[in-house]
Amino acid sequence: MKNYEAIIIGGGACGLMCAVQAGLLGKKTLVLERNDKPGAKILISGGGRCNYTNLHTSIENFVSENPSFLHTVFAQWTVEDTIAFFENFGHIKGVEKTLGQLFPATNKAKDIVSVFTKLMYETGQDIWLDTLVKSVESVTEGYRIIIARAGKEEVLTSKKVVFASGGLPVAKLGASDLALKTAYKLGLEVVQTAPALVPLTITGKDADWYASLSGNSVFARVYNDKISFEENILFTHWGLSGPAILQISSYWRAGEVFKIDLLPKFRLDNLIRQERNAGGKRTIGQMLNDYFTKKMVDALGKFLPITIKIASLSKADAALVSDTIHHFKVKPAGDKGYDKAEVMRGGVSTAELHPKTLESKKYPGLYFGGEAVDITGWLGGYNFQWAWAAGYVIAQDL
């Protein structure tokens, strides 16, 4: 086997960036990827369009026991560095969509992956596809890696190993708990993991109400006592999805209630007052029809007196309408699990890693980056920015 500076486990965003950045520094790495092509998760991201960073990235856009850990990482690799990297090496121009999300002008995720495959070739990095890493052990000479490829088991050794193997979401794309299992085995602290950026399920007495609205999308503000997001929500036959729901899911814990402002750009008490001033001849339902689909208004009739004329509306009913629309309470039963989650929450604790290099404090030569670490970004390109930055800073130390 060739003499590699490091073996990188995982040919996704973090692993590929690490390999090419190492290559640009004149180093040799070997990437082990269990899929038959690199960048499998990159290729499906953003519906195949790849929202590869976010112009507004800051540590406030990340969920972690210690988000401040990112200051040191993001000081070394910025959003501007990401934009310049793809422009310089792939002639990729970014186009800003909503909320700072940056997509390739071509709208093709494969163009992002092509940047890496081209640079891997040009800098002499190796990648073994269809290769399953079964275990990683700490030994005297560094690390012993047991792999399976072409139906045979092999043993590799390396002084440096990079875990860029992702988290648990989307098993069919090669998601793996290998980094977590290895961390546990080595006695490293792992923050409890859970699906994140994931649709939420509703069961019990309200399940049929949500199911009846399946397919309806509403621009809303979803919030709890920690955070709020203003984006679309989508009613489904099993509960709630859409960008705002995926965002709040990273901050939701089982048993908790969050709220939805179904009409964040207006105030119901003002609308009711305007209707009264105009004579109040319309019903609550007719007024709400100005802002929601008929199906939505009919469904809200379960909670609101939609047939009452506004002129006849009591103070108590007016308060009920306002409270229901602006503070609609939701208590999910659970989430749709890792196969429907965009990312994993939790992972190897940042307390175990040097923030400048992402090397293990206890095991020299062992690095963790990307989704395996307790750093989880919001929806909208933030997780890619973390992955690129992590790959870069690890490469500097190999």
Side-chain angles (χ1 to χ4, degrees):
M1 194 174 114
K2 290 182 190 174
N3 190 24
Y4 297 106
E5 261 90 1
I7 290 177
I8 300 167
I9 302 171
C14 179
L16 291 173
M17 182 60 92
C18 186
V20 302
Q21 291 293 341
L24 292 169
L25 293 171
K27 303 170 185 177
K28 292 278 188 186
T29 65
L30 169 64
V31 177
L32 305 177
E33 170 55 50
R34 70 185 297 180
N35 286 299
D36 60 0
K37 58 188 173 188
K41 203 168 175 184
I42 299 173
L43 290 168
I44 66 154
S45 68
R49 296 178 302 135
C50 190
N51 172 199
Y52 65 96
T53 191
N54 195 294
L55 298 174
H56 307 318
T57 301
S58 73
I59 67 164
E60 282 74 33
N61 306 119
F62 292 85
V63 181
S64 170
E65 285 199 343
N66 179 25
S68 296
F69 179 86
L70 282 168
H71 278 308
T72 307
V73 178
F74 286 164
Q76 297 176 75
W77 183 268
T78 66
V79 171
E80 290 72 27
D81 290 324
T82 295
I83 293 167
F85 172 81
F86 287 110
E87 281 189 1
N88 293 340
F89 293 108
H91 306 294
I92 290 173
K93 295 289 185 185
V95 175
E96 183 184 357
K97 301 291 175 70
T98 55
L99 303 171
Q101 299 170 22
L102 212 64
F103 290 83
T106 60
N107 269 332
K108 292 177 181 174
K110 66 183 179 63
D111 291 344
I112 296 290
V113 176
S114 293
V115 174
F116 292 108
T117 51
K118 178 172 174 282
L119 275 175
M120 292 270 291
Y121 175 76
E122 290 176 353
T123 62
Q125 309 309 297
D126 287 342
I127 182 167
W128 292 357
L129 302 172
D130 293 310
T131 300
L132 176 67
V133 179
K134 301 180 82 172
S135 68
V136 177
E137 298 165 10
S138 175
V139 292
T140 308
E141 60 270 35
Y143 297 93
R144 183 172 179 263
I145 305 157
I146 299 175
I147 65 169
R149 65 172 184 149
K152 294 180 183 176
E153 198 170 272
E154 296 180 47
V155 178
L156 309 177
T157 56
S158 178
K159 284 192 171 6
K160 295 185 176 183
V161 171
V162 178
F163 270 105
S165 50
L168 294 168
V170 204
K172 62 180 177 288
L173 292 182
S176 165
D177 63 351
L178 178 68
L180 302 177
K181 284 198 300 189
T182 304
Y184 280 124
K185 194 165 65 176
L186 294 174
L188 304 181
E189 182 189 347
V190 176
V191 176
Q192 184 176 356
T193 58
L197 300 181
V198 64
L200 299 173
T201 59
I202 306 288
T203 59
K205 61 183 175 59
D206 291 328
D208 288 345
W209 186 84
Y210 285 88
S212 74
L213 283 167
S214 182
N216 271 247
S217 181
V218 178
F219 181 80
R221 184 172 73 93
V222 180
Y223 63 100
N224 59 17
D225 57 0
K226 305 180 198 82
I227 196 110
S228 74
F229 297 97
E230 273 194 27
E231 289 186 75
N232 282 348
I233 64 171
L234 175 68
F235 290 89
T236 70
H237 62 275
W238 35 255
L240 287 168
S241 188
I245 296 300
L246 300 187
Q247 297 281 41
I248 203 77
S249 73
S250 295
Y251 295 86
W252 176 78
R253 301 294 182 270
E256 289 181 354
V257 172
F258 62 82
K259 295 177 183 177
I260 301 177
D261 183 345
L262 293 165
L263 209 58
K265 300 296 186 189
F266 301 89
R267 297 306 307 166
L268 254 296
D269 48 359
N270 290 341
L271 297 179
I272 290 170
R273 191 180 306 112
Q274 289 167 17
E275 291 284 338
R276 286 194 200 277
N277 291 341
K281 292 179 180 178
R282 294 206 299 172
T283 64
I284 287 292
Q286 287 169 329
M287 179 186 71
L288 293 177
N289 275 327
D290 293 345
Y291 307 97
F292 301 108
T293 63
K294 184 178 184 304
K295 198 173 195 179
M296 184 75 187
V297 174
D298 289 345
L300 287 168
K302 176 178 177 180
F303 311 106
L304 302 178
I306 60 172
T307 58
I308 291 180
K309 285 192 174 180
I310 290 169
S312 308
L313 200 63
S314 68
K315 278 190 177 179
D317 278 344
L320 172 66
V321 173
S322 184
D323 190 58
T324 302
I325 296 297
H326 293 307
H327 311 286
F328 192 89
K329 291 178 182 175
V330 180
K331 187 177 183 180
D335 59 58
K336 290 294 281 181
Y338 282 114
D339 248 16
K340 297 295 182 185
E342 299 269 343
V343 291
M344 177 185 80
R345 189 175 73 218
V348 176
S349 172
T350 57
E352 297 285 0
L353 308 176
H354 293 289
K356 187 169 173 56
T357 61
L358 300 181
E359 183 182 25
S360 166
K361 292 176 180 177
K362 295 173 185 168
Y363 292 88
L366 187 64
Y367 301 80
F368 292 89
E371 207 174 327
V373 182
D374 175 37
I375 300 284
T376 306
W378 291 2
L379 192 69
Y382 299 101
N383 286 296
F384 272 131
Q385 182 59 29
W386 154 238
W388 311 136
Y392 173 84
V393 301
I394 293 170
Q396 307 311 298
D397 200 54
L398 297 180

